[in-house]
Amino acid sequence: MSKLLLDEKPLLVIPSLAKQVGLNESIVLQQIHYWLQISDHTYEGHKWIYNTYDEWAEQFPWWSKATIRRIITSLEKLGILVTGNFNKMKIDKTKWYRIDYEVLESMSSPCAQNEQSRCSERAVEEINLSTPLPEITTEITSDIKKEEEAAPVTAPSPYQFFEENGFGTISPYIAENINLWINDLSEELVIEAMKIAVESSSRNWRYVSAVLKDWANKNFKTVNEVHAARLAFRETQSKKRNNRPNKSRTEAIPDWLKNEQADQSVKGQSQLIDSEDFEKEKEALLQRIRNYKKQND
């Protein structure tokens, strides 16, 4: 275990830990430590807990899911938080978490140990242990609320978007491919490619993958770059259509000639006659009229 963490339920964080990893990260880390103490899930010689981002949002209602995701990612990059997948079905992407206490302990110092002792004493003297978790954090939420207000609206994950928009059930193979494209590009671009597939009525992973490969070859990094490129393409196509000359005209076939044209599959259709051959067609038509009159005479 680490002297930087408390074993009590009240949400207290040691200033030295907050200084090392950040205030928000300290809050999440302390909460994960609390749940690890009572976890009965042991894998690879360590205790683990599991939560979806929706479940974390219930424990930290003052944060958006996007904020929680950023905090957890930050702890992963620091090497303090280790994530895994011990779900029975590999398609289930619910994350499992444990703390690397050795990495955390390396951040410890005598000063931090003294702070832990003082925090423990205050917890006994000043904190009502029956107080619900959200209520004991009211003094530290002002800065957190500011961050939440600035956070973007949480978008569905690519996995959710895939299953909720008619692509079918995600197989382990497709899930792994989605994960690879997220790492190579971003979640936003993967979702954008799926949106294009939906608009094109091509709800299949092969189409999405082809779009992503094209963007990777063009070195697109953001959705804005994709939108700009699509807009430029549409403008180019529009100019080509407007500048294309009209080389054909439509001539109607006389009703009395319909019976003589048994080779046509549809009667009464207009015949397209190229303007360059118009004179030749006109002469042939006049000759047929003269022949028709001779037969009647």
Side-chain angles (χ1 to χ4, degrees):
M1 300 305 175
S2 173
K3 297 180 178 63
L4 292 176
L5 296 173
L6 304 172
D7 294 331
E8 300 291 338
K9 184 175 181 179
L11 188 56
L12 296 175
V13 293
I14 294 175
S16 291
L17 179 61
K19 184 178 179 180
Q20 289 286 341
V21 302
L23 176 60
N24 294 349
E25 287 77 2
S26 300
I27 294 171
V28 171
L29 201 59
Q30 178 62 57
Q31 186 72 349
I32 292 175
H33 173 68
Y34 166 75
W35 288 116
L36 284 172
Q37 304 313 299
I38 59 177
S39 173
D40 56 1
H41 301 289
T42 302
Y43 298 98
E44 300 176 348
H46 300 282
K47 283 189 173 184
W48 295 77
I49 63 167
Y50 61 90
N51 264 335
T52 64
Y53 286 116
D54 287 331
E55 290 168 334
W56 281 127
E58 292 178 4
Q59 296 186 47
F60 305 114
W62 57 90
W63 283 328
S64 67
K65 284 187 285 187
T67 299
I68 295 171
R69 185 181 291 109
R70 286 198 300 271
I71 294 170
I72 289 177
T73 300
S74 174
L75 289 170
E76 289 181 80
K77 289 180 179 178
L78 290 171
I80 301 172
L81 191 62
V82 181
T83 59
N85 185 341
F86 301 101
N87 302 303
K88 293 182 179 180
M89 297 180 63
K90 291 302 181 183
I91 196 172
D92 184 355
K93 296 300 178 180
T94 301
K95 275 190 173 183
W96 291 65
Y97 304 89
R98 72 172 178 86
I99 294 174
D100 190 330
Y101 289 100
E102 292 183 0
V103 173
L104 187 60
E105 187 64 21
S106 67
M107 298 181 179
S108 181
S109 66
C111 178
Q113 296 174 23
N114 292 336
E115 289 173 353
Q116 191 271 349
S117 177
R118 289 196 297 270
C119 287
S120 298
E121 292 173 0
R122 288 198 296 271
V124 173
E125 295 174 359
E126 301 177 7
I127 301 297
N128 180 358
L129 299 185
S130 64
T131 302
L133 177 62
E135 294 184 13
I136 65 173
T137 60
T138 53
E139 295 181 0
I140 62 173
T141 57
S142 58
D143 292 336
I144 296 172
K145 286 182 178 178
K146 291 179 181 178
E147 180 178 348
E148 180 185 5
E149 291 172 357
V153 177
T154 304
S157 72
Y159 310 101
Q160 288 176 306
F161 191 94
F162 188 96
E163 292 191 331
E164 292 174 358
N165 287 274
F167 289 90
T169 302
I170 299 180
S171 66
Y173 171 77
I174 292 179
E176 181 62 25
N177 272 265
I178 291 176
N179 187 56
L180 291 174
W181 278 116
I182 290 173
N183 293 334
D184 289 344
L185 297 176
S186 67
E187 286 191 1
E188 291 76 12
L189 283 177
V190 173
I191 292 176
E192 186 66 20
M194 292 183 191
K195 289 180 180 178
I196 291 175
V198 172
E199 293 171 2
S200 304
S201 299
S202 302
R203 292 177 173 87
N204 62 80
W205 178 248
R206 181 178 296 179
Y207 186 93
V208 176
S209 182
V211 172
L212 292 171
K213 286 178 183 177
D214 179 61
W215 293 350
N217 291 335
K218 293 176 180 176
N219 202 31
F220 291 157
K221 299 297 184 183
T222 66
V223 173
N224 287 338
E225 290 178 342
V226 170
H227 289 172
R230 294 185 71 192
L231 179 61
F233 176 78
R234 283 195 290 267
E235 290 178 349
T236 301
Q237 294 299 107
S238 177
K239 289 180 181 178
K240 287 182 179 179
R241 286 193 297 270
N242 292 336
N243 294 332
R244 186 180 302 162
N246 185 11
K247 294 184 178 181
S248 63
R249 55 184 291 184
T250 303
E251 295 291 337
I253 300 175
D255 292 339
W256 57 271
L257 285 177
K258 290 180 182 178
N259 293 332
E260 294 185 11
Q261 297 185 346
D263 58 328
Q264 294 186 359
S265 60
V266 180
K267 294 182 179 181
Q269 277 190 326
S270 296
Q271 180 181 11
L272 293 177
I273 302 175
D274 191 280
S275 58
E276 295 178 357
D277 297 329
F278 179 73
E279 292 299 329
K280 292 181 180 179
E281 292 291 335
K282 179 180 177 181
E283 181 61 30
L285 181 61
L286 291 173
Q287 183 61 43
R288 292 173 69 185
I289 292 173
R290 286 193 289 269
N291 294 338
Y292 181 83
K293 288 182 176 180
K294 288 180 180 180
Q295 293 176 359
N296 290 335
D297 292 341

